[in-house]
Amino acid sequence: MSTFAFLGTLEIGFIYGLVAIGVYLTFRVLDFPDLTVDGSFTLGAAVTATLIVLGFNAYLATLAGALAAACAGLVTAWLNLRFNILHLLASILTMTALYTINLRVMGKPNVALIMEPTVLTPFESLGIPNMYLKVLFVAACSIIVGLIVAWFLNTQYGLAMRAVGANTRMAQANGIVVKEKVYVGLALSNGLVGLAGALFAQTNGFADSTMGIGTIVVGLAAVIIGQSMFSSRSMVVIVLSCIIGSLLYRVAVSLALNADFLGFTASDLNLITAVLVGLALIFPQLRNEWKAKRAKGAQQ
Amino acid sequence: MKLHAVLKTMLLSASLAVSSLHAEPVYVVSTAIVEHPALDAVRDGIKTYLEEHGYAGDKMRFTYESAQGQPAIAAQIARKLVGEQPDVIVAIATPSAQAAVSASQDIPVVFSVVTDPVGAKVVPSLNQPGSNVTGLSDMVNVKQHLALMKEFLPELKRIGIPFNPGEANSVAIVEAMKAAAAEMGIEVIESAAPKSSDVMIAAKQLVGKAEAIYCSTDNTIISAFESVVKVGIDAQIPVFAADTASVERGAVAAVGYDYADLGHQTGELVLRVLQGEKPGDIDVKMAEGTNLFINSKMAQRMGVTIPQSVQQRANKIY
């Protein structure tokens, strides 16, 4: 892999690290499988790109993109909590609606940002080559955001949120307002995903109505890969392992792209990626089984 | 310092001499957002053209990556391709072109079949784009398509267009069609099909509202084209297409590009870049070539007669 390709892999990995943290919040912390992200990733990108093209400041536009996506999360939470629609179904409804909303926001299926000012523009005068600058910027974004989320999950409020996901009844019995935690959790999660969409659009030069497809799968893969590599109770380690999982997922995709020598063709990419991610998932379990066997052998 | 510079020059000239002796193969990398027959025909057309113009066999290394419909993968592929320092990057269809242009600072990019390259910001202008990018636009000639439909149905007042509102290329064509049709006093009735499984219903929606159905080069519609044809037969509404490949699949007629031919036209641009021209000095090429294909069996089944004039100038009759 060339340096340039490797940096690109890292860049996209860090951006999807934010998605992974968002998916971790809903899927693991709140135990709320949320497919809204397939739509909110695009919503973040669509709002940001449209505002930038209209001449708004890129930072304001990015913030607006993240907030819009957070609102999408609130809608899913509302459908689930207010009307008792199954969480999975509620999120599918929001995701479906978002497809149309995204087209409405952009007014067309694709908004180009090449040559427009972005969040990177203020740093371009520093003289760092663009390919390094992009990676440094998104790495800083995702690590800082990750640390803030880890800190948040360790506050009294965050602990209450974790309690809701771990045992809803117990949490309720301890006087935690469960609904409020779900609203906040889904807004935060989708806000992070929207932020990722906004950054992706700006570093890659376009927002496209199809860009969110498969976001949930990528996010889940990152969370699971990351957590299968590090087992820890520290929130900081857990949240950062989501980012590392995302980076490893992108490396897997890169390897799949370079698999030509094994006789694979361009159309085999999805299968190769699935197998590589699958291996990453299976390996820790096999390792544990071997360890257990060995320990047993040693005892006898 | 001076010695260092001298050594460097010597090494450089030595390596240049070596490379001219061995005639390094040129390296052309290509990528497309998805794989389907039309885009594949473009890619193969480019390769064939280059092979026929002096880059056959071991004179050229040609690779291809597909983004499987995912823009994030397209972005990653673009980085990979730029990192390989090829002589030219060929990017097929809008999202792949945008990803390649955004990743490449100075490696030449030649895009193909991007309907609206200026709107997609792949180039700042069609003439002398000035950047490291040039390519081929496949904006379809909607006026020509309208005229063909009018030849079949002189009384034509309403055309139905099933299309996916999520596809940039397709939306651009529908807009162009609306403008052109309005001038001729023809109304355009849109029918949205966001997924290929919605195409049948979208086509049915047009029954009773339109006298002809027009399918543009929309990837979603084309992938479920047979369901439009079926509606056309059942409801006796002739189905026209924007691409000639669809005529064999059941369109009554189409006047348009042959995608392999668009590949050759893109290949011409790639060749000029390989021969040392700066992409920024090469105007964006508007796709050329009008093949007229007709399907007489389908015309009969959809209840229209093929006018003598069309029959005479058809390039191919199924």
Side-chain angles (χ1 to χ4, degrees):
Chain A
M1 208 191 303
S2 65
T3 321
F4 193 87
F6 183 66
L7 291 173
T9 302
L10 290 185
E11 179 195 319
I12 297 166
F14 276 118
I15 293 176
Y16 276 85
L18 292 170
V19 173
I21 298 170
V23 169
Y24 170 77
L25 281 176
T26 47
F27 196 68
R28 281 282 154 93
V29 173
L30 284 173
D31 196 19
F32 190 120
D34 178 25
L35 303 187
T36 318
V37 293
D38 272 28
S40 55
F41 184 81
T42 317
L43 181 64
V47 168
T48 305
T50 307
L51 289 176
I52 288 178
V53 170
L54 286 174
F56 283 82
N57 174 283
Y59 282 87
L60 271 178
T62 305
L63 184 68
L67 285 178
C71 291
L74 287 178
V75 172
T76 299
W78 181 65
L79 289 173
N80 171 244
L81 298 171
R82 173 68 181 79
F83 302 106
N84 289 318
I85 301 175
L86 184 72
H87 37 35
L88 213 53
L89 188 56
S91 65
I92 290 174
L93 288 177
T94 317
M95 175 187 82
T96 308
L98 281 175
Y99 185 81
T100 303
I101 292 168
N102 291 331
L103 286 175
R104 282 280 173 180
V105 167
M106 296 192 285
K108 50 188 173 183
N110 183 297
V111 172
L113 284 177
I114 302 165
M115 295 178 263
E116 296 283 344
T118 67
V119 282
L120 287 166
T121 312
F123 301 98
E124 271 160 9
S125 55
L126 293 177
I128 307 168
N130 209 285
M131 60 182 196
Y132 295 106
L133 178 66
K134 280 183 178 175
V135 180
L136 290 174
F137 184 84
V138 295
C141 281
S142 90
I143 291 169
I144 291 170
V145 169
L147 291 175
I148 293 173
V149 171
W151 164 82
F152 168 74
L153 288 172
N154 277 330
T155 60
Q156 205 67 34
Y157 197 93
L159 282 169
M161 191 182 277
R162 285 153 69 186
V164 168
N167 190 335
T168 314
R169 279 194 181 174
M170 189 72 140
Q172 216 147 19
N174 280 302
I176 295 171
V177 189
V178 170
K179 285 190 174 184
E180 180 208 290
K181 303 293 179 293
V182 176
Y183 275 116
V184 173
L186 260 84
L188 183 60
S189 160
N190 283 282
L192 291 174
V193 173
L195 175 65
L199 292 178
F200 183 87
Q202 293 177 73
T203 51
N204 288 288
F206 65 95
D208 191 280
S209 63
T210 61
M211 69 197 291
I213 296 169
T215 305
I216 183 70
V217 180
V218 178
L220 271 178
V223 168
I224 296 169
I225 295 172
Q227 303 208 333
S228 65
M229 316 231 33
F230 303 93
S231 55
S232 167
R233 294 188 153 207
S234 150
M235 268 351 273
V236 175
V237 175
I238 291 175
V239 170
L240 292 184
S241 76
C242 292
I243 301 175
I244 294 169
S246 170
L247 293 172
L248 290 175
Y249 175 82
R250 285 297 152 189
V251 171
V253 172
S254 268
L255 290 176
L257 285 174
N258 287 300
D260 308 355
F261 61 92
L262 292 173
F264 290 106
T265 69
S267 55
D268 298 327
L269 175 68
N270 281 359
L271 176 66
I272 300 168
T273 312
V275 169
L276 286 170
V277 172
L279 286 177
L281 296 177
I282 295 166
F283 191 71
Q285 194 172 336
L286 286 183
R287 193 184 51 198
N288 287 345
E289 281 171 19
W290 288 330
K291 268 189 191 165
K293 249 188 200 164
R294 242 202 234 154
K296 231 182 183 180
Q299 268 177 9
Q300 286 164 358
Chain B
M1 272 312 268
K2 250 195 184 151
L3 185 69
H4 185 71
V6 169
L7 270 174
K8 215 169 166 185
T9 333
M10 277 171 66
L11 275 173
L12 203 69
S13 48
S15 68
L16 275 176
V18 169
S19 69
S20 60
L21 271 178
H22 285 276
E24 281 271 314
V26 295
Y27 187 24
V28 178
V29 297
S30 65
T31 177
I33 185 72
V34 285
E35 296 186 281
H36 69 59
L39 298 187
D40 295 351
V42 171
R43 172 198 68 205
D44 296 340
I46 296 168
K47 193 170 175 232
T48 325
Y49 184 89
L50 293 173
E51 282 168 352
E52 283 167 1
H53 288 78
Y55 291 102
D58 54 6
K59 296 223 174 73
M60 172 175 73
R61 199 146 79 85
F62 189 96
T63 66
Y64 171 70
E65 304 283 0
S66 153
Q68 318 277 303
Q70 298 175 44
I73 304 282
Q76 208 173 336
I77 288 174
R79 308 306 165 81
K80 181 197 167 214
L81 298 185
V82 171
E84 288 175 357
Q85 300 277 317
D87 294 291
V88 185
I89 298 174
V90 178
I92 301 167
T94 306
S96 285
Q98 286 173 322
V101 169
S102 155
S104 170
Q105 306 274 325
D106 36 43
I107 294 171
V109 176
V110 176
F111 61 81
S112 189
V113 297
V114 172
T115 302
D116 180 10
V118 176
K121 299 222 172 120
V122 200
V123 280
S125 66
L126 293 178
N127 297 324
Q128 305 272 317
S131 54
N132 59 327
V133 185
T134 188
L136 178 95
S137 158
D138 68 336
M139 186 63 211
V140 299
N141 190 339
V142 286
K143 283 201 177 140
Q144 201 176 28
H145 295 179
L146 267 173
L148 179 71
M149 287 187 263
K150 198 88 172 154
E151 251 180 291
F152 275 86
L153 309 159
E155 303 294 308
L156 186 63
K157 282 278 162 274
R158 291 165 304 171
I159 301 174
I161 308 184
F163 75 109
N164 178 357
E167 276 188 36
N169 281 355
S170 179
V171 172
I173 293 168
V174 175
E175 290 305 318
M177 191 53 127
K178 276 205 289 210
E183 281 175 24
M184 296 170 73
I186 296 174
E187 191 190 346
V188 167
I189 297 142
E190 299 170 28
S191 186
K195 295 189 298 293
S196 50
S197 53
D198 299 329
V199 173
M200 165 78 95
I201 299 159
K204 278 190 176 160
Q205 295 271 322
L206 295 166
V207 176
K209 292 184 197 158
E211 296 122 37
I213 295 177
Y214 172 76
C215 293
S216 80
T217 51
D218 184 303
N219 290 312
T220 310
I221 305 298
I222 296 294
S223 57
F225 188 67
E226 279 75 10
S227 47
V228 183
V229 172
K230 193 157 184 318
V231 172
I233 294 170
D234 293 346
Q236 293 287 293
I237 304 174
V239 175
F240 295 88
D243 67 306
T244 49
S246 295
V247 176
E248 195 181 358
R249 292 172 68 189
V252 169
V255 51
Y257 312 124
D258 169 40
Y259 277 82
D261 200 38
L262 293 192
H264 294 170
Q265 292 173 35
T266 313
E268 268 175 61
L269 300 171
V270 177
L271 185 69
R272 286 172 68 182
V273 172
L274 287 176
Q275 287 170 344
E277 269 189 76
K278 280 204 191 100
D281 297 341
I282 305 174
D283 292 348
V284 171
K285 192 176 165 65
M286 301 310 281
E288 285 169 5
T290 45
N291 282 331
L292 174 63
F293 284 21
I294 53 178
N295 190 327
S296 50
K297 221 183 282 167
M298 274 301 155
Q300 205 180 6
R301 294 183 68 184
M302 291 178 184
V304 280
T305 43
I306 297 168
Q308 204 64 48
S309 55
V310 175
Q311 187 102 35
Q312 276 164 2
R313 56 173 214 274
N315 301 79
K316 196 164 190 177
I317 302 172
Y318 288 99

